[in-house]
Amino acid sequence: MLRSLFITFLLNLLIRPSFSRLLTDPSQLLKEGYDFVIVGAGNAGNVIANRLASVPAFTVLVIEAGVKLFVSDAGIVSTQIPFIAPNILLNTSLTWDYVTVPQEGLNSRILTYQRGKLLGGSSSINFLIFTRGSRDDFDRWANVTGDSIWEWDAMFPFALKARFTTPVDNHNTSQEIVPNFHNTKGPLLTTVNGFPSSIDGKLVATTQADSEEFPFNPDTNSGNPIGMSWIQSTSGGGSRSSSATAYLHPILSHPNLDVLVETQVTRLINIAEKGGKPDLREVEFAKNATSHRFTIRAKNEVILSAGAVNTPQLLLLSGVGPKSELAKFKIPLVVDSPGVGQNLQDHPLLAQQFLVNSNETLDDISRNATLAADVEEQWITSKTGPFVDVAGNLFSWVRVGSDIVNKSNDPSAGPTSAHVELFPNEFVSFSEAVPATGSFISVVNGLVSPASRGSITLNSSDPFDFPVIDPGFLKNPLDGRILIESVKLAQKMINTSPWDGFVIQPFGALANATTDAEILEFVRNTVTSFWHPTGTAKMGEQNDPMAVVDSKLFLKGVQGVRVIDTSIFPFIPAAHLQAPTYAVAERGASLIQETWAKA
Ligand SMILES: Cc1cc2nc3c(=O)[nH]c(=O)nc-3n(C[C@H](O)[C@H](O)[C@H](O)COP(=O)(O)OP(=O)(O)OC[C@H]3O[C@@H](n4cnc5c(N)ncnc54)[C@H](O)[C@@H]3O)c2cc1C
Ligand SMILES: *[C@@H]1O[C@H](CO)[C@@H](O)[C@H](O)[C@H]1NC(C)=O
Ligand SMILES: *[C@@H]1O[C@H](CO)[C@@H](O)[C@H](O)[C@H]1NC(C)=O
Ligand SMILES: *[C@@H]1O[C@H](CO)[C@@H](O)[C@H](O)[C@H]1NC(C)=O
Ligand SMILES: *[C@@H]1O[C@H](CO)[C@@H](O)[C@H](O)[C@H]1NC(C)=O
Ligand SMILES: *[C@@H]1O[C@H](CO)[C@@H](O)[C@H](O)[C@H]1NC(C)=O
Ligand SMILES: *[C@@H]1O[C@H](CO)[C@@H](O)[C@H](O)[C@H]1NC(C)=O
Ligand SMILES: *[C@@H]1O[C@H](CO)[C@@H](O)[C@H](O)[C@H]1NC(C)=O
Ligand SMILES: *[C@@H]1O[C@H](CO)[C@@H](O)[C@H](O)[C@H]1NC(C)=O
Ligand SMILES: *[C@@H]1O[C@H](CO)[C@@H](O)[C@H](O)[C@H]1NC(C)=O
């Protein structure tokens, strides 16, 4: 066995040109196809590319719609500097510039809904926060799939494949993380804050002032995130670590990998004999809406890693989806799979701002271009200063009381899963700039165990048209109730004794919201997305008609296709999603290797 692998390896070296290439021209691909074709060089896709291309006998192609500039991020400050991550959202050449349909639960507002469109996908534009989710989140996945490989204990080794690094200011982290829950090796870099924030001390003191509501939790990534913890982020040495920098860049010299960028996959084509089980191992793609459509075949598997918006869109375009939905667009049916595009779950985000009595907030960086340039210069020359963090060094994960949720209506996975996240921060608003004067803090609230569900559907059969995105925010009234509680919890936090004399008053519309009805109106007028879509091609048991993939991530009803990205999450974890995405991708890559090691 070993020897035959070795011979294949030698033959590969002899007869194949060394081809690891970053290509923009589809005509340069290997004519005979590849063992594996991965759709999307995003958060999950690059992990799979790395693990498969590390097996010399495999040939691997990755096709990515976005731009190639950011393989190493070298010199591209906007994607490298943690602090200015939110600015990337303004650069439409790096994002899928999506919007939602009007959200009934949000007074019919339309929300922006960007995804990363570059190497690294959303891991190259996100806000770096690294949270693994809870034991109950994963145990619930195991329960609904009937497969123990998704339990927390079974997933933990995959979650551990990231390297904790010393923060740039070299401070002692013994009070901020528990080393047992971290690794000293692994491709992805993580750390804790590298620049102190003026409210860190108040937040730590809050855990003593109200230890019942805000207990100190020595490590948010232990499997039980409940409580106030120091935030971990995907950076090292002051710069962003993404799936492009950590997983793709190091393997670009591998001779068995091609990466085709600035090229959009338009559908998968059924190549099965008439009457046979559908086989979707032919991938169609194009440079743009009017250009030539190319195809390439995967000998072993196609892996869809286009994310929770584009993966269901591609499945629908390929004839895999609810029969009635496909008929609407005259797309020939390949598999009637009613769950495709359904079950969309996302986290509503709400920011509360407060005017504070302080001269240490970072508002001036947003108001004074000279200061901003100085801070950027400090980052460039020494990788220190305020730009090394996204801002906000601690956060609190809270379960609301039994007057709001109980066993019969609790949307969370269990006692280790929070209902809300409270994330104190600098001035954060998605609708207004920092006021010209005054010092501000915000508490960003996340509804991390939502009860509402939405959907991704097609608007036309043209793959270059945007899909219809409906996160269904606050469709279930329980979400509104929990968010009202969340607003009150944030105020409770900053009304504990350590904050005496600090907070002057709530800012903006919040100032006038006191009754539950007024707070709910504030919620409806200000909630936006945390950019966490999941669940649109969920995994589940074979006999669950709404499950799109099985527990080994194979697309049900066809041969040769797996889905590996946030769309397979059956329930959204009470967490920011990149750590679960990295863990699922590592788990998925090892499932693929298990399949093909046997072959
Ligand atoms: C603004 C923002 C902030 C966030 N902040 C955080 C945070 O602080 N912490 C956290 O944990 N999570 C955060 N997230 C969420 C997290 O980044 C995502 O949930 C996760 O990265 C999704 O991974 P994925 O592999 O499913 O998809 P992606 O990483 O989005 O990858 C999909 C890839 O497929 C490509 N693609 C799509 N369609 C096609 C096609 N047809 N053909 C070819 N290529 C295609 C895309 O261009 C992209 O590169 C944030 C997300 C955003 C957008
Ligand atoms: C936006 O991204 C592109 C890369 O596609 C880059 O060339 C450009 O400078 C960026 N624009 C801004 C304003 O950062
Ligand atoms: C597991 O799922 C069953 C139904 O599928 C449910 O009754 C049970 O409560 C679940 N258990 C957990 C721990 O989620
Ligand atoms: C870090 O602090 C802890 C106590 O808080 C101490 O025991 C440990 O020695 C310190 N480590 C270093 C390297 O100073
Ligand atoms: C589409 O792609 C083709 C082939 O690369 C190119 O020649 C053409 O200019 C592109 N059209 C647009 C509108 O970008
Ligand atoms: C900042 O505030 C502190 C305490 O309120 C005060 O002692 C200090 O002088 C102030 N510094 C500046 C530069 O205003
Ligand atoms: C802007 O910042 C610079 C550099 O710190 C400082 O010298 C200048 O006084 C600031 N300008 C204003 C208007 O505060
Ligand atoms: C659970 O909460 C819901 C909503 O608040 C309420 O209607 C229901 O009666 C509660 N059930 C129990 C068993 O307390
Ligand atoms: C769907 O297409 C129609 C017609 O082109 C357009 O007006 C509408 O804005 C599209 N909707 C979405 C959500 O893209
Ligand atoms: C608060 O309400 C008062 C009275 O209705 C109004 O004048 C004021 O503008 C409101 N403030 C905000 C920030 O909405």
Side-chain angles (χ1 to χ4, degrees):
M1 177 61 201
L2 253 184
R3 206 172 57 176
S4 76
L5 256 182
F6 182 61
I7 289 169
T8 320
F9 175 47
L10 278 184
L11 280 175
N12 282 343
L13 289 182
L14 288 175
I15 59 178
R16 233 180 235 128
S18 173
F19 65 88
S20 176
R21 298 167 301 178
L22 195 52
L23 307 170
T24 54
D25 178 2
S27 68
Q28 292 180 286
L29 298 183
L30 299 183
K31 299 286 175 284
E32 72 268 29
Y34 296 78
D35 294 330
F36 298 95
V37 178
I38 300 167
V39 179
N43 193 341
N46 290 334
V47 175
I48 298 152
N50 179 303
R51 298 304 180 191
L52 295 182
S54 302
V55 180
F58 293 156
T59 58
V60 181
L61 170 66
V62 189
I63 305 179
E64 166 57 45
V67 291
K68 71 173 173 189
L69 300 175
F70 304 98
V71 182
S72 72
D73 277 356
I76 315 291
V77 291
S78 66
T79 54
Q80 281 184 291
I81 299 179
F83 191 85
I84 60 174
N87 295 3
I88 308 170
L89 293 177
L90 305 174
N91 191 339
T92 53
S93 66
L94 303 179
T95 59
W96 299 87
D97 197 17
Y98 291 141
V99 294
T100 67
V101 296
Q103 294 297 286
E104 261 174 58
L106 305 181
N107 291 337
S108 296
R109 286 182 306 122
I110 289 173
L111 310 177
T112 57
Y113 212 75
Q114 297 94 340
R115 318 295 308 145
K117 191 178 183 184
L118 68 170
L119 290 177
S122 299
S123 79
S124 292
I125 71 163
N126 70 22
F127 300 168
L128 291 85
I129 297 161
F130 184 76
T131 57
R132 291 179 179 140
S134 76
R135 173 174 289 277
D136 287 307
D137 287 327
F138 287 92
D139 290 353
R140 175 159 65 171
W141 287 12
N143 190 334
V144 297
T145 57
D147 192 336
S148 61
I149 67 169
W150 297 105
E151 281 171 4
W152 170 266
D153 286 334
M155 284 297 286
F156 193 66
F158 297 96
L160 254 191
K161 291 176 186 280
R163 187 191 328 167
F164 185 82
T165 63
T166 309
V168 291
D169 61 2
N170 282 311
H171 72 269
N172 186 333
T173 59
S174 68
Q175 304 302 308
E176 301 181 3
I177 60 138
V178 176
N180 284 353
F181 300 118
H182 301 278
N183 202 336
T184 52
K185 46 190 199 317
L188 185 73
L189 308 181
T190 66
T191 190
V192 284
N193 67 92
F195 184 79
S197 158
S198 60
I199 57 173
D200 293 349
K202 290 182 177 37
L203 288 163
V204 172
T206 299
T207 67
Q208 275 136 30
D210 187 349
S211 60
E212 200 158 312
E213 201 79 81
F214 308 107
F216 184 71
N217 180 335
D219 197 310
T220 192
N221 279 328
S222 67
N224 183 356
I226 303 295
M228 180 98 72
S229 299
W230 291 88
I231 293 174
Q232 298 165 27
S233 65
T234 44
S235 64
S239 292
R240 175 193 299 270
S241 185
S242 68
S243 80
T245 65
Y247 282 91
L248 188 61
H249 188 242
I251 57 163
L252 278 177
S253 60
H254 285 214
N256 56 344
L257 172 73
D258 271 350
V259 182
L260 177 64
V261 296
E262 296 169 17
T263 306
Q264 187 170 324
V265 171
T266 48
R267 62 179 175 142
L268 308 183
I269 296 172
N270 186 7
I271 52 172
E273 310 259 311
K274 223 179 161 59
K277 189 176 185 184
D279 181 342
L280 293 179
R281 280 178 283 190
E282 185 163 284
V283 179
E284 183 194 75
F285 49 94
K287 297 300 288 182
N288 57 48
T290 53
S291 71
H292 178 70
R293 301 264 166 111
F294 297 83
T295 59
I296 194 102
R297 286 201 183 182
K299 289 169 222 163
N300 295 354
E301 290 185 23
V302 169
I303 295 112
L304 282 182
S305 299
V309 174
N310 297 94
T311 285
Q313 180 193 25
L314 278 173
L315 288 172
L316 292 167
L317 292 168
S318 310
V320 179
K323 199 174 178 179
S324 58
E325 187 69 18
L326 299 173
K328 259 194 248 169
F329 301 100
K330 301 196 164 54
I331 298 170
L333 179 75
V334 176
V335 181
D336 182 11
S337 182
V340 174
Q342 301 303 302
N343 191 47
L344 173 60
Q345 297 169 50
D346 191 1
H347 293 144
L349 175 160
L350 171 87
Q352 292 168 261
Q353 304 89 13
F354 301 90
L355 180 68
V356 297
N357 176 21
S358 166
N359 53 19
E360 293 177 306
T361 59
L362 300 181
D363 303 291
D364 282 344
I365 297 176
S366 312
R367 298 196 273 233
N368 178 341
T370 314
L371 178 60
D374 289 351
V375 173
E376 182 167 325
E377 190 55 30
Q378 181 186 359
W379 184 88
I380 290 169
T381 54
S382 68
K383 296 286 187 304
T384 60
F387 274 16
V388 304
D389 298 325
V390 170
N393 293 337
L394 293 106
F395 54 18
S396 187
W397 297 72
V398 187
R399 286 183 65 79
V400 302
S402 56
D403 51 329
I404 298 170
V405 297
N406 55 47
K407 271 213 169 81
S408 65
N409 69 351
D410 188 353
S412 81
T416 60
S417 278
H419 296 112
V420 300
E421 169 192 7
L422 306 173
F423 179 9
N425 216 302
E426 299 299 323
F427 187 89
V428 174
S429 167
F430 296 92
S431 54
E432 40 198 330
V434 184
T437 58
S439 293
F440 298 90
I441 64 159
S442 306
V443 181
V444 171
N445 303 41
L447 176 71
V448 292
S449 294
S452 301
R453 299 290 183 264
S455 64
I456 303 284
T457 50
L458 295 179
N459 199 27
S460 82
S461 60
D462 180 349
F464 289 87
D465 269 359
F466 284 1
V468 179
I469 301 173
D470 179 10
F473 282 139
L474 271 62
K475 221 180 204 170
N476 186 320
L478 180 61
D479 289 347
R481 282 203 66 191
I482 297 176
L483 277 165
I484 294 169
E485 186 63 11
S486 181
V487 167
K488 292 179 182 170
L489 278 165
Q491 297 182 356
K492 190 173 182 189
M493 176 158 80
I494 58 163
N495 280 320
T496 58
S497 55
W499 301 80
D500 283 351
F502 185 74
V503 176
I504 300 168
Q505 64 189 54
F507 171 79
L510 186 60
N512 282 345
T514 49
T515 66
D516 281 6
E518 286 163 353
I519 294 174
L520 184 58
E521 198 53 18
F522 167 74
V523 167
R524 292 193 198 283
N525 287 332
T526 55
V527 153
T528 186
S529 169
F530 232 125
W531 302 276
H532 289 170
T534 55
T536 50
K538 74 167 186 178
M539 62 174 169
E541 293 193 269
Q542 279 298 347
N543 62 7
D544 175 357
M546 296 305 282
V548 176
V549 301
D550 65 23
S551 71
K552 304 294 191 269
L553 308 181
F554 280 117
L555 184 61
K556 285 165 61 182
V558 314
Q559 305 179 50
V561 180
R562 281 194 232 229
V563 179
I564 308 183
D565 59 27
T566 53
S567 31
I568 63 103
F569 295 9
F571 287 94
I572 191 166
H576 299 248
L577 298 182
Q578 64 172 336
T581 306
Y582 282 112
V584 163
E586 290 281 11
R587 172 72 274 187
S590 106
L591 289 172
I592 297 171
Q593 287 181 348
E594 283 163 29
T595 301
W596 295 98
K598 282 184 233 137

